[in-house]
Amino acid sequence: MDSQSDNPLLEVSDLTVAFGGRPVVHGISFAIRQGQTLGLVGESGSGKSATSLALLRLLPPSAQVTGSITFAGQNLLALPEPEMRRQRGSGIAMIFQEPMSALNPAMTVGQQIAEAVQAHHPEMDRNAIKKKVLEAMHDVALPDPAARFGHYPHQFSGGQRQRILIAMALVNRPRLLIADEPTTALDVTVQAQILELLASLRRSHSLAMLFISHDLAVVAQACGQPGDQVAVMQHGRIVEQAPAAELFRAPQHPYTRRLLASTPTMQTDRGLPLASLA
Ligand SMILES: Nc1ncnc2c1ncn2[C@@H]1O[C@H](COP(=O)(O)OP(=O)(O)OP(=O)(O)O)[C@@H](O)[C@H]1O
Ligand SMILES: [Mg+2]
């Protein structure tokens, strides 16, 4: 088992993604161990989502992907599609930025989480599935799962919908969670609650996480445990990677410094304009 050895759970090496011959991710490499979070930060268009979609092989066929992606000892880029489908959800799960568009408005949330279970456990009967769904809703602290099982997405708040997506992502107990801007659509208070939830789920599930954001302050919160790393992406390249605490204390790359300078802190003089990323 790689959990007992020194092998990382995910190892990405020299990954390149190109569209029509134009590379948008240029030979990036990183690794994530069980229980560890890697924060991937960079401005809009730097290639963060292209990277995360490449890991799950969810890019359109027009994308050319090269390099290697090893997950739990398997080369994902060489995996036949049926096995890749098995990995999606049960090995690696993903939550997206927009909780409303990722949910089906015409299906109850209970049914939607149940479908995620069924996809990986066709042998399970209705009662066993429902029990698993209620447990997952409970895990993400949705109030009164039994009563809310039959409700539709529009009957939940934005933060609750994001909790439903997290429940759906984690119901099959994946080992790696990819969270691509999971809090960007939420207001600051709800954002903090979701970050706390992810932190507690990491501990209870010993989950590895790739946490993607354009916002360094959010990445700092998501990468708050010892051993967590942050990688800074600019124009498709990782320009700096370091343990989270170190990167925030002593950023080395000029781009990281500019990103940090453009993040307001408690010490920021609110009378002055924020530094720009030009
Ligand atoms: N399907 C596609 N076809 C062509 N180009 C694409 C496609 N998807 C992404 N790109 C291009 O790849 C580059 C990186 O996009 P990506 O979505 O990875 O950025 P990002 O870092 O996730 O940005 P954001 O913070 O806005 O989400 C952009 O220039 C984008 O236009
Ligand atoms: Mg993106």
Side-chain angles (χ1 to χ4, degrees), residues 35 156 162:
F156 293 84
Q162 194 54 292

Side-chain angles (χ1 to χ4, degrees), residues 19 22 24-25 42-51 59-60 62 97 180-181 212 214:
F19 291 101
R22 186 177 74 95
V24 298
V25 174
E43 66 199 326
S44 183
S46 55
K48 307 182 298 294
S49 294
T51 301
L59 285 166
S62 62
Q97 176 171 343
D180 189 355
E181 306 266 8
I212 297 174
H214 64 279

Side-chain angles (χ1 to χ4, degrees), residues 56-58 76 78-88:
L56 283 169
R57 287 193 10 205
L58 288 174
L76 294 190
L79 221 52
E81 183 54 30
E83 278 173 54
M84 191 62 216
R85 251 196 313 269
R86 255 197 303 279
Q87 286 296 343
R88 283 187 210 115

Side-chain angles (χ1 to χ4, degrees), residues 11-254:
E11 195 160 21
V12 172
S13 157
D14 204 19
L15 177 70
T16 292
V17 177
F19 291 101
R22 186 177 74 95
V24 298
V25 174
H26 296 260
I28 65 169
S29 301
F30 59 84
I32 308 181
R33 298 180 181 287
Q34 182 170 339
Q36 184 185 42
T37 291
L38 174 71
L40 188 60
V41 67
E43 66 199 326
S44 183
S46 55
K48 307 182 298 294
S49 294
T51 301
S52 64
L53 293 171
L55 297 182
L56 283 169
R57 287 193 10 205
L58 288 174
L59 285 166
S62 62
Q64 301 103 43
V65 181
T66 59
S68 80
I69 302 171
T70 309
F71 175 74
Q74 280 185 304
N75 176 4
L76 294 190
L77 291 182
L79 221 52
E81 183 54 30
E83 278 173 54
M84 191 62 216
R85 251 196 313 269
R86 255 197 303 279
Q87 286 296 343
R88 283 187 210 115
S90 70
I92 309 178
M94 182 150 179
I95 45 176
F96 297 91
Q97 176 171 343
E98 274 297 333
M100 200 57 202
S101 56
L103 287 165
N104 181 343
M107 252 170 99
T108 68
V109 302
Q111 276 175 304
Q112 294 185 61
I113 305 173
E115 273 196 352
V117 179
Q118 253 160 350
H120 290 280
H121 299 281
E123 78 292 350
M124 253 190 204
D125 67 39
R126 285 171 61 104
N127 287 335
I129 290 175
K130 182 157 183 185
K131 185 161 169 274
K132 237 173 127 66
V133 172
L134 291 175
E135 270 170 20
M137 290 173 78
H138 174 81
D139 278 354
V140 298
L142 274 167
D144 204 358
R148 314 269 350 230
F149 182 91
H151 287 187
Y152 290 86
H154 73 267
Q155 295 172 289
F156 293 84
S157 70
Q160 287 173 332
R161 280 181 216 135
Q162 194 54 292
R163 285 173 195 270
I164 292 161
L165 287 182
I166 296 170
M168 211 183 291
L170 297 186
V171 69
N172 291 308
R173 297 286 168 143
R175 299 171 71 189
L176 174 67
L177 178 66
I178 301 176
D180 189 355
E181 306 266 8
T183 64
T184 306
L186 306 172
D187 70 52
V188 179
T189 320
V190 178
Q191 183 171 300
Q193 290 164 358
I194 296 293
L195 289 170
E196 265 168 43
L197 171 67
L198 287 174
S200 88
L201 289 170
R202 276 181 69 186
R203 286 189 293 267
S204 56
H205 292 53
S206 77
L207 195 62
M209 186 157 72
L210 176 63
F211 187 96
I212 297 174
S213 178
H214 64 279
D215 185 337
L216 260 182
V218 169
V219 170
Q221 282 180 71
C223 301
Q225 288 175 32
D228 290 349
Q229 295 254 332
V230 175
V232 180
M233 211 163 168
Q234 183 188 29
H235 305 319
R237 293 191 163 85
I238 291 179
V239 295
E240 176 166 8
Q241 184 179 336
E246 202 173 293
L247 184 123
F248 292 113
R249 186 168 19 84
Q252 299 297 308
H253 194 277

